[in-house]
Amino acid sequence: DIQLTQSPSFLSASVGDRVTITCRASQGISSYLAWYQQKPGKAPKFLIYAASTLQSGVPSRFSGSGSGTEFTLTISSLQPEDFATYYCQQLNSYPFTFGQGTRLEIK
Amino acid sequence: EVQLLESGGGLVQPGGSLRLSCAASGFTFTNYAMTWVRQAPGKGLEWVSVISVSGDFTYYTDSVKGRFTISRDNSKNTLYLQMNSLRAEDTAVYYCAKGVGSYGSGNYHDYWGQGILVTVSS
């Protein structure tokens, strides 16, 4: 199975900050990577697919990049509603594994 | 509007069985693969199983192989997860998710249900 490692696991930041989360795959996954946002008690929200394509309705302050084994999610200017947990997921080969998550909290 | 509504969760004893259902609406169910993802209390997301549009192809994560069976009834727009020989470590919120295609690489999960809690405990 392909393993995904996110860093950092925990991130403390302020409104207006630019933040970057990294996701590394144990083997190459081309660009078959998605990012999700999850708030407590809620289902994950689909943010980005194919490593860099924003899902419809997702604010443009979110962006993704990377291919192969290293990927990043960047939020250019944090808004209060962005404080949540973020997960990457590889969809190159089954099982479609997730990273362990990055919890983004308000400083 | 796409809607996915899980049901069938609850408390079950170790070794017991439970069948989850996911009723789909707002899209052409027969065009998309469907997936189950779970989340243990306070933990991250774990991909569980996928089924192709026709039901011909399925895949399971190792920890549930031989115990869980995914199926779908396209006439009822409903996805199922039959869970047997349940263990304490199966305790989780179970989500059904819609794929963006029929099966295989790049089948992103664009819509998710609200989740249903399964608790395995004596």
Side-chain angles (χ1 to χ4, degrees):
Chain A
D1 297 358
I2 296 172
Q3 297 191 22
L4 297 181
T5 304
Q6 290 181 230
S7 59
S9 294
F10 177 83
L11 184 55
S12 181
S14 301
V15 172
D17 284 354
R18 177 185 179 92
V19 298
T20 297
I21 298 168
T22 298
C23 177
R24 289 187 174 89
S26 59
Q27 63 190 76
I29 58 170
S30 184
S31 295
Y32 292 118
L33 189 99
W35 290 96
Y36 301 88
Q37 176 195 68
Q38 188 180 34
K39 296 183 178 179
K42 299 295 186 181
K45 177 185 176 182
F46 182 46
L47 294 179
I48 288 172
Y49 63 97
S52 61
T53 303
L54 245 58
Q55 172 68 343
S56 175
V58 174
S60 59
R61 62 181 180 273
F62 290 90
S63 64
S65 66
S67 67
T69 61
E70 186 151 338
F71 302 86
T72 60
L73 170 69
T74 298
I75 310 172
S76 60
S77 178
L78 278 171
Q79 299 302 300
E81 61 269 27
D82 299 336
F83 292 93
T85 300
Y86 292 85
Y87 294 93
C88 58
Q89 183 196 22
Q90 66 82 18
L91 298 101
N92 181 73
S93 59
Y94 290 122
F96 286 169
T97 44
F98 290 91
Q100 82 278 13
T102 295
R103 185 176 171 188
L104 176 55
E105 290 203 341
I106 300 175
K107 185 182 288 183
Chain B
E1 179 192 6
V2 172
Q3 290 195 349
L4 299 169
L5 185 61
E6 300 97 339
S7 61
L11 175 65
V12 61
Q13 292 188 339
S17 298
L18 213 54
R19 187 177 83 157
L20 303 183
S21 300
C22 171
S25 61
F27 65 101
T28 304
F29 186 70
T30 51
N31 285 354
Y32 301 101
M34 297 294 293
T35 293
W36 289 99
V37 174
R38 68 183 179 183
Q39 187 170 35
K43 302 297 184 182
L45 301 171
E46 181 184 22
W47 187 94
V48 174
S49 182
V50 64
I51 187 167
S52 62
V53 296
S54 61
D56 289 352
F57 297 100
T58 60
Y59 200 96
Y60 301 89
T61 194
D62 282 349
S63 61
V64 309
K65 278 180 187 173
R67 301 188 299 122
F68 289 12
T69 301
I70 191 171
S71 62
R72 63 192 294 162
D73 185 336
N74 288 341
S75 69
K76 295 183 179 179
N77 289 354
T78 302
L79 172 72
Y80 302 101
L81 186 67
Q82 177 68 42
M83 304 185 293
N84 298 332
S85 302
L86 282 161
R87 306 167 180 167
E89 54 265 37
D90 295 318
T91 294
V93 173
Y94 285 73
Y95 296 99
C96 63
K98 170 189 167 292
V100 299
S102 58
Y103 191 77
S105 299
N107 206 348
Y108 300 97
H109 314 318
D110 57 351
Y111 290 93
W112 296 59
Q114 85 289 348
I116 190 83
L117 178 63
V118 172
T119 303
V120 184
S121 175
S122 54

